[in-house]
């Protein structure tokens, strides 16, 4: 039997409040997604610079791995016209693929539209969120369902805020419990890199050769399981290792 709005929101709030780890929060969000006839839910973080891969900004997601791999293989992140505008808004944004194509004046589906339809992603709602340390996030619900009513958008907004608050508390607690994996010198190099300094400039500041600076950078990238400097800086900030 389909629950009425107050009953549904109360039940979902209880599950979210009881979450003891990030996986529990994701499970609660999966339940919320199903309650609103969505298939997937994702939490994305705003990249510090230009990013070409969806996988690098996904904090948590239930999207199929095949979808993410194909999306990244085709570099659809830079082609998807609406995504760059979402991190700059404070308001929820909902759309269907048909309305999106109409808004951007496309008469025929583009390859990214074909991919979305193939995985049953025809309706999306995005909730902008902000952490206490100023990071910007998006909570996305995707699936194949009719356009959302305003009451549904309002309800999902409250659920997303609650879930993100619990997720952030768990994340901050985890930061305090995990020792810093980087050495003092590696932290210095990453901190100056975040300020936009090159290896040569960092070497002058720290009285090191650029070869040594690059070695520290390589070690930091390996320790934080990153693939480049941009991702390293973003993850170091996200983990609270640098301001």
């Amino acid at each position: 039997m389909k629950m009425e709005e107050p009953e549904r929101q109360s039940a979902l709030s209880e599950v979210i409040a009881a979450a003891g780890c990030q996986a529990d929060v994701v499970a609660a969000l999966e339940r919320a997604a199903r309650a609103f006839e969505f298939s997937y839910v994702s939490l994305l973080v705003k990249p510090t610079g230009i990013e070409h891969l969806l996988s690098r900004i996904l904090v948590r997601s239930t999207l199929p791995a095949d979808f993410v791999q194909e999306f990244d293989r085709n570099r659809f992140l830079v082609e998807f016209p609406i995504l760059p505008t979402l991190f700059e808004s404070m308001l929820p944004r909902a759309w269907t693929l048909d309305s999106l194509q109409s808004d951007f004046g496309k008469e025929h589906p583009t390859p990214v539209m074909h991919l979305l339809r193939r995985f049953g992603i025809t309706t999306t709602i995005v909730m902008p969120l902000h952490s206490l340390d100023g990071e910007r996030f998006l909570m996305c619900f995707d699936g194949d369902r009719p356009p959302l009513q305003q009451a549904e958008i309002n309800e999902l907004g409250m659920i997303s805020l609650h879930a993100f608050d619990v997720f952030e508390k768990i994340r901050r607690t985890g930061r305090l419990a995990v020792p810093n994996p980087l050495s003092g010198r590696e932290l210095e190099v990453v901190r100056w890199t975040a300020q936009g300094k090159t290896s040569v400039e960092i070497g002058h500041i720290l009285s090191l050769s650029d070869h040594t600076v690059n070695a520290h950078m390589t070690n930091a990238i390996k320790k934080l399981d990153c693939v480049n400097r941009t991702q390293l800086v973003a993850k170091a900030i996200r983990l609270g290792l640098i301001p």
Side-chain angles (χ1 to χ4, degrees):
M1 182 176 65
K2 190 173 182 179
M3 290 187 289
E4 296 297 326
E5 178 182 330
E7 180 185 0
R8 177 173 60 192
Q9 189 156 352
S10 176
L12 292 172
S13 294
E14 287 181 11
V15 175
I16 292 169
C21 63
Q22 292 182 359
D24 289 343
V25 179
V26 175
L29 286 168
E30 284 188 275
R31 180 171 171 177
R34 291 193 298 270
F36 286 86
E37 301 178 72
F38 285 108
S39 301
Y40 316 115
V41 60
S42 304
L43 180 64
L44 297 82
V45 64
K46 182 180 180 181
T48 56
I50 297 174
E51 181 55 72
H52 299 280
L53 300 178
L54 174 63
S55 58
R56 292 182 188 168
I57 64 172
L58 284 175
V59 179
R60 291 279 180 160
S61 179
T62 64
L63 286 167
D66 289 350
F67 171 83
V68 177
Q69 289 170 5
E70 187 168 345
F71 197 93
D72 283 353
R73 186 167 59 250
N74 290 282
R75 296 295 194 269
F76 283 151
L77 191 62
V78 295
E79 293 184 16
F80 202 40
I82 195 173
L83 192 60
T85 69
L86 299 177
F87 283 106
E88 308 305 326
S89 174
M90 298 289 291
L91 300 175
R93 183 81 179 268
W95 65 84
T96 65
L97 288 189
D98 289 338
S99 67
L100 199 61
Q101 286 179 233
S102 175
D103 289 344
F104 287 90
K106 297 185 181 299
E107 297 181 1
H108 303 287
T110 63
V112 66
M113 300 296 187
H114 280 303
L115 178 64
L116 291 168
R117 290 189 190 280
R118 181 148 53 87
F119 279 87
I121 300 176
T122 62
T123 300
T124 296
I125 182 169
V126 173
M127 306 291 180
L129 301 163
H130 292 73
S131 67
L132 292 177
D133 54 12
E135 281 186 286
R136 293 181 178 183
F137 294 83
L138 297 176
M139 186 81 74
C140 300
F141 293 88
D142 299 293
D144 186 10
R145 56 148 290 164
L148 286 146
Q149 302 298 314
Q150 187 60 50
E152 294 178 300
I153 294 175
N154 296 341
E155 190 180 350
L156 267 175
M158 294 300 297
I159 291 168
S160 297
L161 284 170
H162 185 193
F164 184 70
D165 182 62
V166 173
F167 187 90
E168 272 291 280
K169 287 178 181 177
I170 294 171
R171 194 167 70 121
R172 289 195 297 273
T173 301
R175 286 176 179 174
L176 296 174
V178 177
N180 191 337
L182 304 183
S183 69
R185 191 60 99 183
E186 289 163 354
L187 271 178
E188 286 183 299
V189 169
V190 175
R191 192 175 294 115
W192 283 113
T193 300
Q195 297 299 317
K197 302 297 183 182
T198 65
S199 293
V200 173
E201 291 171 331
I202 296 172
H204 290 157
I205 294 169
L206 301 179
S207 299
L208 301 171
S209 69
D210 58 331
H211 175 76
T212 301
V213 170
N214 287 331
H216 286 309
M217 185 66 66
T218 299
N219 288 338
I221 288 172
K222 290 180 180 178
K223 286 181 178 181
L224 293 188
D225 192 27
C226 298
V227 296
N228 55 36
R229 295 186 179 205
T230 300
Q231 188 183 16
L232 171 66
V233 169
K235 190 166 186 178
I237 293 172
R238 192 159 65 243
L239 293 174
L241 302 181
I242 60 175

